[in-house]
Amino acid sequence: MVLDGDGLFELKVLAKTQLAKDVFRFDFASVDALPLPKFTAGAHVAVKTPSGMMRHYSLCSSPFEAHWSIAVKREGGGRGGSLSLVDGVSSGQILLVGPPANNFSIPESAPSVILIAGGIGVTPLMSMVHELLARLVSIAIKFVFLTRDAQSSPFSQTLRELLPGASFVLHHDYGKPDQQFDLWPLLEKVSRAHVFCCGPAPLMDSVRDMTGHWPSSQIHFESFGVNASIRSTDEAFTVTVNSTGAQYLVEPGETILSVLQNNGVKVASSCESGTCGTCKVSLIEGTADHRDMVLSNDEKANFLMICVSRAKSKTLTIEI
Ligand code: FES
């Protein structure tokens, strides 16, 4: 396996395949034909895009296959990572990819699972289905896949074949709020099932609300590829840079990082998903809404990861 100085693997894009509207699968193999490291279902990898940005994507291939696959939705209004991959990468190209990491794995003890995917959030749940179907002791799977329409439903045919009958439900809302799927009958009664949800912020917020009465250890969320930091309940706040006194308004849908960078303030960043630690700043005043996976509880009193975290108070003062 060829590694660069940052511990990233040099991987060859074996194939780039369009799966659905604006969704492309990239299959990777090592450049020297050596086997790739094993991963577990629900794992993700960091990918260095041609534009130089690091982005995290869930592995959607089977953990038992020789290659790794990710699926990427081309987000025109996003931060550029998906555009750079989809528009700038073709078969045969070499990309730098980090080793698999997993914050979204299925406990061996789970007696059954409820998998809820919205749109491109289907990707980590694909590797889970492959892993679950290969287990010696079979466990009950209920998979609900919520999409806008048939054209926006990657992997739906594969899922239909893997999960015949009522265990797989594909629902289209055609962008109409009154046609949204009602998850309450599925989540109302607490059971020993583990619930895994990946999808847009409003879907994850609503699953979070509907599972408030469940043991938190049974409820799992993943947001790689679907913008980890933005939630439908976000509100605007003002951030002040202590040393300059300059104030900036951070609207819902924006991050502190993007607002500072758009205003010419030099701040380092890499993953822009709260996982690498590059964008750490000092928190001087205000109540933070920490959304990263880097800071310890002790550090959260004095630091903030500005690529994902926001404010619970109306104002925050930071030092860069
Ligand atoms: S840029 Fe990686 S944690 Fe913020």
Side-chain angles (χ1 to χ4, degrees), residues 54-56 79 257 268-280 292-294 304-309:
M54 294 299 290
R55 288 289 179 267
H56 290 80
R79 293 167 295 164
L257 177 72
S269 70
S270 177
C271 71
E272 296 184 18
S273 57
T275 53
C276 74
T278 307
C279 67
K280 183 172 163 183
D292 63 278
M293 290 184 265
V294 178
L304 186 72
M305 309 310 301
I306 55 172
C307 64
V308 289
S309 296

Side-chain angles (χ1 to χ4, degrees), residues 141-158:
I141 304 172
K142 181 76 182 183
F143 196 126
V144 179
F145 188 18
L146 308 174
T147 67
R148 186 184 180 89
D149 50 35
Q151 291 72 41
S152 321
S153 307
F155 301 111
S156 51
Q157 186 54 35
T158 308

Side-chain angles (χ1 to χ4, degrees), residues 54-131:
M54 294 299 290
R55 288 289 179 267
H56 290 80
Y57 294 98
S58 297
L59 291 165
C60 58
S61 40
S62 162
F64 311 107
E65 283 179 59
H67 65 269
W68 294 348
S69 301
I70 60 169
V72 180
K73 181 167 188 206
R74 188 181 185 282
E75 306 267 15
R79 293 167 295 164
S82 70
L83 282 181
S84 174
L85 269 178
V86 170
D87 296 349
V89 175
S90 32
S91 296
Q93 215 162 311
I94 307 294
L95 286 181
L96 293 174
V97 181
N102 200 342
N103 310 312
F104 197 52
S105 55
I106 311 168
E108 276 298 323
S109 58
S112 59
V113 293
I114 298 171
L115 308 178
I116 302 169
I120 193 63
V122 69
T123 52
L125 306 185
M126 285 306 297
S127 65
M128 286 185 176
V129 170
H130 288 296
E131 199 225 78

Side-chain angles (χ1 to χ4, degrees), residues 116-199:
I116 302 169
I120 193 63
V122 69
T123 52
L125 306 185
M126 285 306 297
S127 65
M128 286 185 176
V129 170
H130 288 296
E131 199 225 78
L132 290 167
L133 292 177
R135 284 195 180 179
L136 289 177
V137 181
S138 66
I139 75 172
I141 304 172
K142 181 76 182 183
F143 196 126
V144 179
F145 188 18
L146 308 174
T147 67
R148 186 184 180 89
D149 50 35
Q151 291 72 41
S152 321
S153 307
F155 301 111
S156 51
Q157 186 54 35
T158 308
L159 284 167
R160 234 181 243 121
E161 288 162 13
L162 291 172
L163 300 172
S167 54
F168 176 58
V169 175
L170 174 63
H171 177 83
H172 307 312
D173 66 11
Y174 303 100
K176 297 182 181 157
D178 63 346
Q179 292 195 32
Q180 281 180 359
F181 187 82
D182 183 8
L183 289 164
W184 182 238
L186 200 58
L187 301 173
E188 180 180 11
K189 197 161 162 253
V190 176
S191 72
R192 291 181 58 232
H194 280 246
V195 178
F196 293 85
C197 176
C198 184

